[in-house]
Amino acid sequence: MVAQRDREASGLSITMTNTTSSTAPITDGNIQGNDGSSSGEGLVRALTMKDGIGVTVGVIIGSGIFASPGQVLGNVGSTGLALVVWVAGAMLALCSSLVYCELGPAVPAAGGDRDYILLAFGPRAAFAYTFTMFFVIKSGSQGILSITFARYLMAMLYPDDDSLLTPEADGDTRVKLAAIAAVLVFTALNCAGVKDSSAVQNVLTVLKAGLL
């Protein structure tokens, strides 16, 4: 199936080849065909502006802020240099955010990075990115996030156990089990629906902002 979308972006016409269903447009529940017909299936616009803000802020305030400051400070040797590193990182993050602000409206497809790579480098590169993202990048980052969450949770539940405050705590059985449970719980929440997962995301965003 080949679907073409012509969209003016910086004076250029972008033509997309729909190789998978991930490039389906986001509508109010319907996928619009080339002839204007509706299939009755699609990605529903279920998130509100509040949910969008919660997701964005929650992503920006990553869990790394609770785990990496000590390592950064230990490597640079001073508080001033540590702040310089954080500012430099913030500038890089701002640049990448501005790139996505341009790409989002120019390529209005649900595949995200995969669709951008598909347009720029072709289907092989897009497949390689998707494969790597699923089996390496996302799975690894989720592992780090779950371990970080579990360490803080166990430190709260066992305040007298100083071993949970050391780097070796990552191998603690309690931490591992809590991390696995966290992955399973949040996976179930995401499977339950967009509304449920976004509500939890909003609560966690408020908690993270409060802890800062």
Side-chain angles (χ1 to χ4, degrees), residues 47-62 190 194-195 197-206 208:
L47 296 178
T48 64
M49 179 177 289
K50 180 187 71 174
D51 297 328
I53 293 174
V55 171
T56 303
V57 175
V59 171
I60 292 174
I61 307 177
N190 280 283
V194 175
K195 281 296 184 182
S197 58
S198 64
V200 174
Q201 173 68 54
N202 293 337
V203 172
L204 293 177
T205 296
V206 172
K208 285 198 288 187

Side-chain angles (χ1 to χ4, degrees), residues 73-147:
L73 185 59
N75 287 325
V76 300
S78 71
T79 304
L81 284 177
L83 291 175
V84 170
V85 170
W86 284 109
V87 171
M91 292 298 102
L92 288 175
L94 176 62
C95 290
S96 65
S97 299
L98 293 176
V99 169
Y100 279 101
C101 286
E102 291 289 336
L103 286 173
V107 187
D113 292 340
R114 176 261 178 200
D115 284 319
Y116 306 149
I117 294 174
L118 176 65
L119 282 173
F121 305 108
R124 291 186 178 181
F127 173 79
Y129 168 80
T130 304
F131 184 89
T132 306
M133 178 65 70
F134 184 83
F135 287 103
V136 180
I137 300 175
K138 281 298 182 182
S139 56
S141 64
Q142 293 305 312
I144 294 172
L145 291 174
S146 61
I147 286 291

